[in-house]
Amino acid sequence: MMGLLRKEWTVYRSSLMVLVGVIFLGAFLLGDKQLPVYAAVFIACLYAFISDGTDGANHTDMVIRSLPVTQKQIVMAKYLCSISIVVLFSLVIVVLNWILPFLTATLLLDWVLSIAMFGLFLALYYPLYYMIGSKVVHYGIHVFVIGSLVFWGFFLGGVSYDRLSQQIEQLGIPFTVPIILAGIASCLLVSCLLSIQIFQTKSR
């Protein structure tokens, strides 16, 4: 499975470095504001669409199936790579907000909620991807971009997010954060097992 992860890095490292550069550029353009950690979620979701779309166009899946790896390892590598991407980019944003004097630091709650949002996306995306195929990539990316703009305007940019944050803070961050992370981890585990089952069934 490590070979599959190295494949993702080797093929898409130039694109990932460009995205990191965009994050750095955004940090300097924002001035005394905060680089939103939710940008990492948007980038990681786009990466999932782009990588799967490229693999489908190049028939990389056929090559991978000929390698000495199991179907379980193929699916798990997809999940692990996507999770690694969002953690990497979110940590880059958190560090930039922390070390650059003209930016304000990222709150722990914002980071946790961004990871939770991506976890929910991933838990839905890959079962649909393995069930429906490339149509999820072709049509899903348009739905995702439009949905992200609407979500940003009506939730993250509005009062709904502030209310949610206040409710979590009232319950106590040390109490709610582990529950949120455990819930997302459970959803991802169920999603991964479901994706493996779908992939194995369709490959017979």
Side-chain angles (χ1 to χ4, degrees):
M1 189 168 64
M2 290 301 299
L4 295 175
L5 295 176
R6 284 195 296 269
K7 183 274 285 187
E8 292 288 328
W9 166 251
T10 302
V11 174
Y12 300 107
R13 62 185 173 186
S14 59
S15 300
L16 293 175
M17 291 301 100
V18 169
L19 293 175
V20 171
V22 171
I23 291 177
F24 274 94
L25 179 63
F28 288 99
L29 292 178
L30 282 174
D32 58 350
K33 298 179 182 180
Q34 183 186 85
L35 189 61
V37 72
Y38 299 99
V41 177
F42 184 79
I43 290 173
C45 292
L46 281 182
Y47 166 81
F49 284 113
I50 293 171
S51 63
D52 291 333
T54 303
D55 287 348
N58 296 333
H59 302 290
T60 308
D61 55 332
M62 298 177 63
V63 177
I64 291 176
R65 292 184 190 186
S66 66
L67 299 176
V69 292
T70 64
Q71 294 167 338
K72 180 179 179 181
Q73 290 175 330
I74 293 173
V75 175
M76 290 180 64
K78 287 284 188 182
Y79 277 84
L80 290 175
C81 187
S82 297
I83 292 171
S84 299
I85 293 298
V86 74
V87 171
L88 170 66
F89 279 103
S90 63
L91 287 178
V92 168
I93 291 174
V94 168
V95 171
L96 284 177
N97 284 333
W98 181 53
I99 65 174
L100 295 180
F102 52 85
L103 296 177
T104 56
T106 303
L107 298 176
L108 173 63
L109 182 59
D110 290 338
W111 183 78
V112 170
L113 290 178
S114 68
I115 297 297
M117 288 178 186
F118 182 73
L120 291 175
F121 164 80
L122 213 61
L124 294 172
Y125 173 74
Y126 276 120
L128 289 174
Y129 173 74
Y130 285 110
M131 183 182 299
I132 301 174
S134 60
K135 289 183 179 180
V136 173
V137 177
H138 296 316
Y139 299 108
I141 190 169
H142 301 292
V143 175
F144 168 74
V145 171
I146 295 173
S148 296
L149 295 175
V150 173
F151 183 76
W152 183 277
F154 288 93
F155 182 72
L156 295 180
V159 297
S160 299
Y161 179 78
D162 294 333
R163 290 177 181 173
L164 176 62
S165 300
Q166 291 173 1
Q167 290 176 355
I168 293 176
E169 290 173 356
Q170 288 176 358
L171 292 173
I173 291 181
F175 172 74
T176 54
V177 165
I179 294 177
I180 293 173
L181 293 178
I184 292 301
S186 300
C187 289
L188 286 173
L189 178 60
V190 173
S191 173
C192 185
L193 294 175
L194 179 60
S195 296
I196 292 172
Q197 183 63 37
I198 295 171
F199 187 45
Q200 289 176 337
T201 301
K202 296 192 71 173
S203 298
R204 289 173 184 171

